[in-house]
Amino acid sequence: MSAKPFDIPLIAPRLLAWYDAHARALPWRAPPGANRTDPYRVWLSEVMLQQTTVATVRPRFEAWVARWDSVAALAAADEAEVMAAWAGLGYYARARNLHACARAIIAEHDGRFPEEEAALRRLPGLGDYTAAAIAAIAFGKRAVVIDSNIKRVAARLAARPTGEVRDVVDAITPDARAGDFAQALMDLANALCTVRAPKCLACPLRENCAGFATGDPAAFPARKPKKERPVRHGTLFWLRRGDDVLLVRRPTKGLLGGMRALPTGPWSEAPPDLSDAPAVADWRMLDEGVSHGFTHFQLDLSLACATYRGQEAPDGEWWPVADLARAGLPTVFAKAAAVFGRVECA
DNA sequence: GAATCGTGGAT
DNA sequence: TATCCAAGATT
C-alpha cells in the first residue's frame, strides 16, 4: 500500500529516521547518546534563537555559557552586565526577561526549571513556542511546538493556505521523542522545506505532502502583505572629555530599552538639530551620518561632536573610548562610534 | 489583532 | 540595492 498525501501515521517515523541521519550538530543539543539535555542550555538557546539565526546565535551561546554556566550563576549576575552581554543580538527585552526568569527560578522554583509546559509558560520571556519547546526538548514531554518553521512545514503537509495549523501539528506529533520531532521539523525546514525553492526531491515527507501534490508547495502558506517602513531622523552627540566619551542609559521601556547608548535627541520626521545636546559645548556637525534599519522604521542619524569643558557633570557616565567594545552598545551606536574612530572632531 | 521590538545573512 | 525573514514575546 503506497503512501497518500498527508498520511498522518507515517509522518513522525519517517521524519525521525531522517533526523537520526541528518540532525545538525549544535552546541545546545545533547551529544549523541545523552538522554537528557541541560534545561539551562535549552532555555538559553531557545530565547537567543527567537527571531535570530542559528549562525548568529552559535558563537554568542558559546560565549554566554562560558561566562554563566547555570541558571544560578545568571541569577546572581548584575542586570547591567546581562544587558551588556546581549548587545548586538537585538530584541533587548529578551535579555531583561532572561535575567528576570533566572531570578524567578531561583526564588520561586527552588532553583530548578519547572517541567510542565503550563508552568514554563508563566515565566518571563517564555511564550507558547518557547514553553512547549523546553518542555519537549529538555524534559521529554509531549508538547505541540509551533514556530514559523514548523508552521510552514505543516501548512505545506496539509496544503493549508493560512498558518492556522495547530491541529495539524498536534495530529502529527508523536508521544515519544516529541523534542526530537520538533527539532527535526525545524532542521527539515532549514535544510529542505525552505521559504523559497523548497528541495522537495530530497524530502523524506514528499510522498506525505499534500502541498507537494499540488505542484506548487511554495504557495503554502500565503505570504503576508509587506508594511511601510518610514524614515526617522535624529542627532547623535559624541561628547569627549580627555580619553572618555559620554554614555547614557536608555529608558527601560521602548526601543533599545535599558541599553547603554550614545546620547541622541528624539527620533522623528523633523530635521535634525542641536537642540537636545547633553551639554553646552562647541558642537560641530559632521558631514557623514549613520543610517540604520530597525524592524519598523529606518533611522538616519546626523552626527555632532564636541569637547566638554564645563564644570558640572552632565547626566550619564564617562567611558574610556579605548574600551567602548566593553560598554555593550547596540549596533546603531557601535556604528556611530566607528565613524568617530575614523573622523577627526577638531 | 495589530504594533512594537534588532540584527545580519540570503537572494 | 531592496526586500525578506529567522527556534517570538509582549502590550
Side-chain angles (χ1 to χ4, degrees), chain A residues 115-122 128 131-132 135 141-144:
Chain A
E115 299 193 8
E116 300 300 328
E117 182 179 350
L120 289 162
R121 179 66 180 81
R122 294 184 211 108
D128 290 341
K141 307 286 186 182
R142 184 188 185 280
V144 180

Side-chain angles (χ1 to χ4, degrees), chain A residues 5 156 158-160 209-220:
Chain A
R156 288 176 180 171
R160 291 271 178 90
C209 183
F212 177 74
T214 70
D216 186 15
F220 306 96

Side-chain angles (χ1 to χ4, degrees), chain A residues 23 47 82 91-92 98 121 139 172 174 219 236 238 248 253 271 336 338:
Chain A
V47 173
V82 173
Y91 288 150
Y92 296 99
L98 195 77
R121 179 66 180 81
F139 299 115
I172 64 178
L236 179 144
W238 179 262
V248 297
K253 287 183 169 290

Side-chain angles (χ1 to χ4, degrees), chain A residues 38-198:
Chain A
D38 179 359
Y40 170 72
R41 295 168 69 90
V42 174
W43 164 64
L44 176 63
S45 67
E46 290 301 341
V47 173
M48 281 190 170
L49 286 162
Q50 289 166 5
Q51 299 291 285
T52 308
T53 59
V54 166
T56 297
V57 168
R58 188 193 295 261
R60 302 298 300 262
F61 175 87
E62 300 279 26
W64 194 282
V65 296
R67 181 170 182 180
W68 295 296
D69 66 352
S70 67
V71 66
L74 183 56
D78 289 335
E79 187 186 70
E81 294 288 311
V82 173
M83 299 302 291
W86 200 269
L89 272 174
Y91 288 150
Y92 296 99
R94 292 185 294 173
R96 180 177 315 285
N97 286 331
L98 195 77
H99 190 242
C101 183
R103 292 200 164 171
I105 287 167
I106 298 303
E108 301 165 22
H109 294 276
D110 203 21
R112 290 185 295 276
F113 278 86
E115 299 193 8
E116 300 300 328
E117 182 179 350
L120 289 162
R121 179 66 180 81
R122 294 184 211 108
L123 291 168
L126 303 198
D128 290 341
Y129 163 75
T130 307
I134 295 173
I137 296 169
F139 299 115
K141 307 286 186 182
R142 184 188 185 280
V144 180
V145 181
I146 301 176
D147 78 321
S148 64
N149 286 303
I150 294 174
K151 196 173 290 189
R152 182 173 65 253
V153 175
R156 288 176 180 171
L157 283 172
R160 291 271 178 90
T162 71
E164 311 300 315
V165 293
R166 185 181 168 81
D167 61 316
V168 174
V169 180
D170 195 354
I172 64 178
T173 298
D175 292 333
R177 297 188 69 187
D180 280 351
F181 183 73
Q183 295 180 89
L185 282 170
M186 293 188 277
D187 276 18
L188 184 84
N190 175 268
L192 303 177
C193 199
T194 47
V195 175
R196 288 180 288 267

Side-chain angles (χ1 to χ4, degrees), chain A residues 278-300:
Chain A
V280 175
D282 54 341
W283 292 104
R284 183 172 81 79
M285 300 293 295
L286 269 57
D287 294 331
E288 183 175 355
V290 163
S291 186
H292 187 76
F294 291 104
T295 304
H296 53 293
F297 68 94
Q298 175 184 313
L299 179 64
D300 287 349

Side-chain angles (χ1 to χ4, degrees), chain A residues 262-277:
Chain A
L262 288 160
T264 73
W267 303 346
S268 64
E269 297 176 5
D273 58 46
L274 295 172
S275 60
D276 290 287

Side-chain angles (χ1 to χ4, degrees), chain A residues 232-248:
Chain A
R232 296 183 193 170
H233 302 271
T235 306
L236 179 144
F237 302 96
W238 179 262
L239 186 60
R240 290 290 303 266
R241 190 191 72 174
D243 295 330
D244 298 338
V245 64
L246 183 69
L247 298 184
V248 297

